[in-house]
Amino acid sequence: MTRVVIAGASGFIGAHLVARYRAAGIEVRTIGRGASADAGWGDPAAIARAVDGCDLLVNLAGKSVNCRYTPGNRAEIIRSRVETTAALRAAVASAAAPPRVWVNSSTATIYRHAEDRPMTERDGELGRGFSVEVAKAWESEFFAGELPATRRVALRIAIVLGDGGVMRPLVRLARLGLGGPQLDGRWPSTRARRHAGTQHEFGARGGRQRFSWVHLDDVAGIIDFLAARSELDGVVNVSAPHPTDNRTLMRTIRRLLGVPFGMPAWRWMLEPGSAVIRTETELVLKSRWVVPERLLDAGYEFVHPDLEPALRSILRPESVRSEAVPASAPGE
C-alpha cells in the first residue's frame, strides 16, 4: 500500500492506525471534524480528492456510545455514523481511481445478549434495541448501492483493549478497590426507555455476562489482513478467539495490578452511578459472546488470542518486553 485514508482518525483506534501507517512510510490522509484533518465532513470535494487514488479507506467515524441515551444523543449517534458513511460512499462512487478496499467500522453489539452460545458471522442472531438498530442502520448504509471496483468489509468490532479507551476506567476502578464484577439484576423501566429500546433487560447472573474483546494491535493487523485478502468481503467479527466473562476480566486486571480485593458493583449501584457519569449500564451488563469464525477460517493469526497476556502487554509493558527478549549467554 502507498496511500491510506482514515476517517475518524482522532479516536482511540484511528490515532493508532495513523501513527502505525506513517511509521511504515505509508502516506495517510485523514477525514474528520478537527482542524488537523486533511478533509472536513462539510467539504464533499475535499473528501472526494482524499479518497480518489487511495489503496485503502478506513472509516471509524461516529459519536462515542459512552454517553446517556437521551433523544439528542441517540440522534447524533445514528447521524454521525450513517451520514459520514453515505458521504464516503458518494466519494468512492465518483472517484476516477476508487479504493480497492473499504473497511467500515460496525459493532459486535449487533448480536443479541448471548449466554448460551457464541455468535459467528454465519449463524449469529441479531439482537433488538437501540444499539442494535444503530448497527443495522450503519451496515445498511455501508452496503447500499453498487461500487464494483471497491471491496467492502464491515468490521463488527468487540471491546478494544489498549493503552486508553475502556482500560482507563477499568484500571481506575481496580486501583480504588472497586474492581469487582459488575452484577446484573432487575431494575424498573420507564415507558420512554422501553419505547426507545434503551432499557437493558436483566440477563446474566453473578458477573457471568460474556466479554468479547480484541487487542488494539490485532485491530490493526486484521485491517491489513483484510486489505490483502481479496476473497474476504461482507461482515467480519473483529474479536479475539477466546472470549471471557466480566468476573474473569476484573479478576485478571486486579491480579496484574497487584490489587488483592475488588468490591462488586450490583445493578442498584450501577444504575444511579451510570446516570451520574453520563453513561449506560448496557455497556457492562450485556452479554457479548462473539467469535471471529471468518478470520480464523481465513488463517489470521492473532497477536493476542488470550486475555491475560493481552492485558499484561497493556498494564505491564516492561515485563512483556523483558519476557520477549532472551537473556544473553554468559560472556556475551
Side-chain angles (χ1 to χ4, degrees):
M1 290 187 293
T2 60
R3 180 152 63 90
V4 174
V5 174
I6 300 178
S10 61
F12 176 49
I13 299 173
H16 177 76
L17 293 178
V18 169
R20 184 172 180 271
Y21 284 128
R22 285 178 174 163
I26 296 172
E27 179 188 356
V28 178
R29 295 186 187 178
T30 61
I31 303 171
R33 303 194 184 282
S36 61
D38 297 306
W41 288 115
D43 190 344
I47 295 173
R49 288 193 298 270
V51 167
D52 199 354
C54 76
D55 300 296
L56 170 65
L57 171 59
V58 180
N59 181 27
L60 305 165
K63 175 180 171 59
S64 171
V65 296
N66 186 17
C67 63
R68 291 298 285 180
Y69 293 160
T70 62
N73 282 340
R74 294 199 306 272
E76 180 60 17
I77 286 170
I78 294 175
R79 188 204 64 77
S80 62
R81 285 159 173 75
V82 172
E83 290 188 6
T84 53
T85 301
L88 291 175
R89 191 179 69 251
V92 172
S94 67
R100 293 180 296 103
V101 187
W102 175 9
V103 296
N104 207 78
S105 183
S106 181
T107 172
T109 299
I110 198 170
Y111 297 112
R112 65 170 172 82
H113 177 104
E115 300 176 52
D116 54 334
R117 65 177 180 85
M119 301 289 108
T120 69
E121 301 93 338
R122 176 173 49 85
D123 61 7
E125 298 174 46
L126 303 189
R128 56 188 176 86
F130 169 69
S131 297
V132 172
E133 293 308 314
V134 170
K136 289 178 180 178
W138 202 0
E139 291 187 4
S140 177
E141 187 66 42
F142 175 53
F143 288 116
E146 296 294 327
L147 298 175
T150 300
R151 177 165 52 92
R152 287 177 279 186
V153 186
L155 309 177
R156 290 180 174 174
I157 305 175
I159 303 296
V160 180
L161 303 183
D163 185 12
V166 71
M167 286 304 301
R168 288 180 180 171
L170 292 179
V171 166
R172 191 179 306 119
L173 286 173
R175 286 178 170 156
L176 290 172
L178 303 174
Q182 284 92 44
L183 305 174
D184 203 353
R186 302 193 184 281
W187 188 258
S189 180
T190 65
R191 180 179 298 177
R193 285 181 68 84
R194 289 194 300 272
H195 178 74
T198 59
Q199 175 74 6
H200 168 73
E201 299 297 334
F202 174 38
R205 299 174 183 273
R208 295 302 181 189
Q209 61 268 32
R210 303 296 296 185
F211 180 79
S212 289
W213 59 275
V214 62
H215 194 286
L216 184 58
D217 290 344
D218 277 309
V219 175
I222 287 166
I223 290 173
D224 288 348
F225 181 81
L226 292 170
R229 299 298 292 263
S230 60
E231 74 277 14
L232 292 175
D233 61 4
V235 298
V236 170
N237 289 345
V238 179
S239 59
H242 303 140
T244 185
D245 61 27
N246 176 267
R247 181 176 291 273
T248 303
L249 168 72
M250 300 309 297
R251 182 174 63 242
T252 306
I253 291 173
R254 294 198 310 271
R255 183 168 62 249
L256 291 173
L257 292 174
V259 178
F261 173 80
M263 188 174 76
W266 287 269
R267 189 169 183 183
W268 61 265
M269 301 164 61
L270 291 168
E271 288 289 351
S274 66
V276 169
I277 64 174
R278 312 307 296 166
T279 189
E280 293 284 346
T281 56
E282 176 198 53
L283 300 178
V284 294
L285 296 179
K286 180 176 179 177
S287 187
R288 298 171 174 86
W289 191 352
V290 181
V291 172
E293 184 177 66
R294 294 193 69 195
L295 286 172
L296 294 174
D297 288 348
Y300 178 75
E301 295 184 9
F302 280 81
V303 179
H304 300 284
D306 298 299
L307 179 67
E308 183 162 342
L311 289 174
R312 187 180 294 114
S313 75
I314 300 164
L315 301 175
R316 294 180 173 179
E318 293 300 327
S319 67
V320 171
R321 281 195 288 271
S322 64
E323 290 171 7
V325 179
S328 298
E332 290 185 347

